[in-house]
Amino acid sequence: GAGVSQSPSNKVTEKGKDVELRCDPISGHTALYWYRQSLGQGLEFLIYFQGNSAPDKSGLPSDRFSAERTGGSVSTLTIQRTQQEDSAVYLCASSRDGSYEQYFGPGTRLTVT
Amino acid sequence: DQQVKQNSPSLSVQEGRISILNCDYTNSMFDYFLWYKKYPAEGPTFLISISSIKDKNEDGRFTVFLNKSAKHLSLHIVPSQPGDSAVYFCAASATGNQFYFGTGTSLTVIP
């Protein structure tokens, strides 16, 4: 079946602009995660959605970052007033209810100039 | 504050030999550990996991060992194959919500 998809695959934006990154999880997966990986770093947790529960936003680095998940499926990560330090690969993952095993998308490479 | 550490950024191993990738963690509340493999321009793919009630889990050529007292886990690949060349990340969780990842070890298996 189809895996996790993310769009766009690459995004170049000017400092100060807003960007939206999209994630389509695997159908039926109730949990959805957003991570980012900066150059030379590990994956940094950003936000976690589980079913209809309130999301765990504890990893969001600032109030410029927000995410929503509509209808328990597609998720959008929004970064407002982008800064150069936001440049990274943003990864989305989903998992089945009760499973720790996450399935990752290919990521969106964001470059802020 | 890096709660999961992979201190070796790279490792080279001859084909057919054993690859040992190491991971250390600081949070004693972590109770589930996973290894992921990542090829360039792709997302990580799940490889193998272990819960804190076990000290070993095996799946084919891959075995994960957990030493809770030392807060250390390792991934053994034997025999190593050229297709195993990738970046390997370990990850740990205490709640199933947040997963903490290491910075990765780049494995090169030399034919």
Side-chain angles (χ1 to χ4, degrees):
Chain A
V4 177
S5 61
Q6 292 185 245
S7 60
S9 55
N10 280 284
K11 176 73 176 178
V12 180
T13 190
E14 292 180 354
K15 177 182 171 180
K17 296 286 179 86
D18 298 351
V19 295
E20 283 190 354
L21 312 179
R22 178 186 167 107
C23 172
D24 283 87
I26 293 173
S27 176
H29 281 194
T30 57
L32 187 147
Y33 305 79
W34 281 99
Y35 297 88
R36 74 175 174 183
Q37 185 179 18
S38 303
L39 194 62
Q41 302 297 312
L43 277 69
E44 175 189 3
F45 167 81
L46 297 177
I47 189 169
Y48 162 71
F49 296 89
Q50 174 59 275
N52 295 320
S53 303
D56 178 350
K57 304 179 181 180
S58 58
L60 294 177
S62 78
D63 58 8
R64 296 186 296 105
F65 288 73
S66 63
E68 62 177 24
R69 188 178 184 192
T70 53
S73 180
V74 172
S75 177
T76 303
L77 176 69
T78 301
I79 309 173
Q80 296 178 311
R81 304 180 303 282
T82 52
Q83 304 294 313
Q84 286 185 332
E85 60 263 28
D86 299 334
S87 296
V89 176
Y90 288 81
L91 290 157
C92 173
S94 68
S95 65
R96 285 185 287 267
D97 189 23
S99 172
Y100 284 76
E101 298 169 16
Q102 298 173 42
Y103 293 79
F104 281 84
T108 294
R109 180 175 295 279
L110 175 66
T111 303
V112 181
T113 61
Chain B
D1 180 30
Q2 195 76 20
Q3 296 195 45
V4 176
K5 297 177 184 177
Q6 294 176 257
N7 293 317
S8 297
S10 63
L11 175 68
S12 290
V13 170
Q14 206 71 32
E15 181 179 4
R17 300 289 183 99
I18 185 170
S19 296
I20 300 177
L21 297 103
N22 293 304
C23 181
D24 297 289
Y25 61 95
T26 58
N27 189 341
S28 58
M29 299 300 291
F30 287 150
D31 60 2
Y32 205 84
F33 306 87
L34 307 94
W35 283 94
Y36 285 85
K37 176 179 177 180
K38 184 181 184 303
Y39 293 116
E42 295 182 10
T45 54
F46 170 77
L47 198 55
I48 192 169
S49 64
I50 189 168
S51 75
S52 59
I53 62 172
K54 292 185 172 182
D55 54 17
K56 176 182 175 181
N57 189 27
E58 193 171 352
D59 183 2
R61 297 186 296 113
F62 303 91
T63 303
V64 57
F65 295 92
L66 175 63
N67 183 332
K68 290 184 287 293
S69 60
K71 296 192 182 70
H72 177 84
L73 68 157
S74 61
L75 174 68
H76 292 209
I77 307 172
V78 56
S80 301
Q81 299 173 355
D84 296 330
S85 297
V87 177
Y88 290 79
F89 291 96
C90 65
S93 177
T95 64
N97 290 11
Q98 279 205 36
F99 284 81
Y100 296 86
F101 283 75
T103 51
T105 296
S106 178
L107 173 67
T108 301
V109 180
I110 304 163

